[in-house]
Amino acid sequence: MGRKQSSAFITTRKGFCYLTVKVGRSNFNIKRIRNYTLEPQEKRDMRRLYPDYLFDWKKINQQLAEKRVVCRAYRSRRQAPRSTERSSDSFFIMSYDPMTRTIYASDAGNSLALLDAVLHIERSRKQ
C-alpha cells in the first residue's frame, strides 16, 4: 500500500496563526504566518522546502480568513487590570486581638508583614 501524502493546514495558538503539518500523531508548525497572508515567494519556498507535503493554497487561504477573526479576538481581549502594588510588597492585617496583643497578618512568617501590621494599627489609633 502506498503512503498517503500529508497536507498542510492552519492552526492557531495564543493569537498567532501557523502553517502546520501532521507527522504521525503530532502536529508541527513549519511557519508562523504574519498579517494573515502568504506571499507568492513564501508559497514557493514552502513547496521547495517541504516536497513531501501537499499545500492546497485555496484551502489554506480560506482557513486563514476563518482564523483571522479568532486570532484578532484573542489578542484584543481586555486584560484584567493589574494592581499598582505587588502582592508580595503589600501586607494586610487579618485581625488584631488587643487582649492577647496578637496580630494576624497575611504573611506572618515575614517580619516586614508584622511591622506593617503594627504601623497600620498605630495609624488607625491616631485617627
Side-chain angles (χ1 to χ4, degrees), residues 93 96 116-127:
I93 301 171
Y96 171 67
D116 188 46
V118 170
L119 290 174
H120 182 73
I121 291 169
E122 288 298 320
R123 282 189 215 116
S124 63
R125 279 188 181 171
K126 289 181 182 177
Q127 292 178 354

Side-chain angles (χ1 to χ4, degrees), residues 17-44:
C17 293
Y18 296 92
L19 186 60
T20 307
V21 293
K22 190 170 195 89
V23 178
R25 293 184 176 178
S26 302
N27 291 340
F28 293 97
N29 299 333
I30 57 175
K31 180 166 182 59
R32 181 172 162 187
I33 300 173
R34 301 184 188 280
N35 299 326
Y36 310 105
T37 58
L38 286 166
E39 299 298 323
Q41 184 60 41
E42 292 174 329
K43 293 178 183 179
R44 284 190 286 272

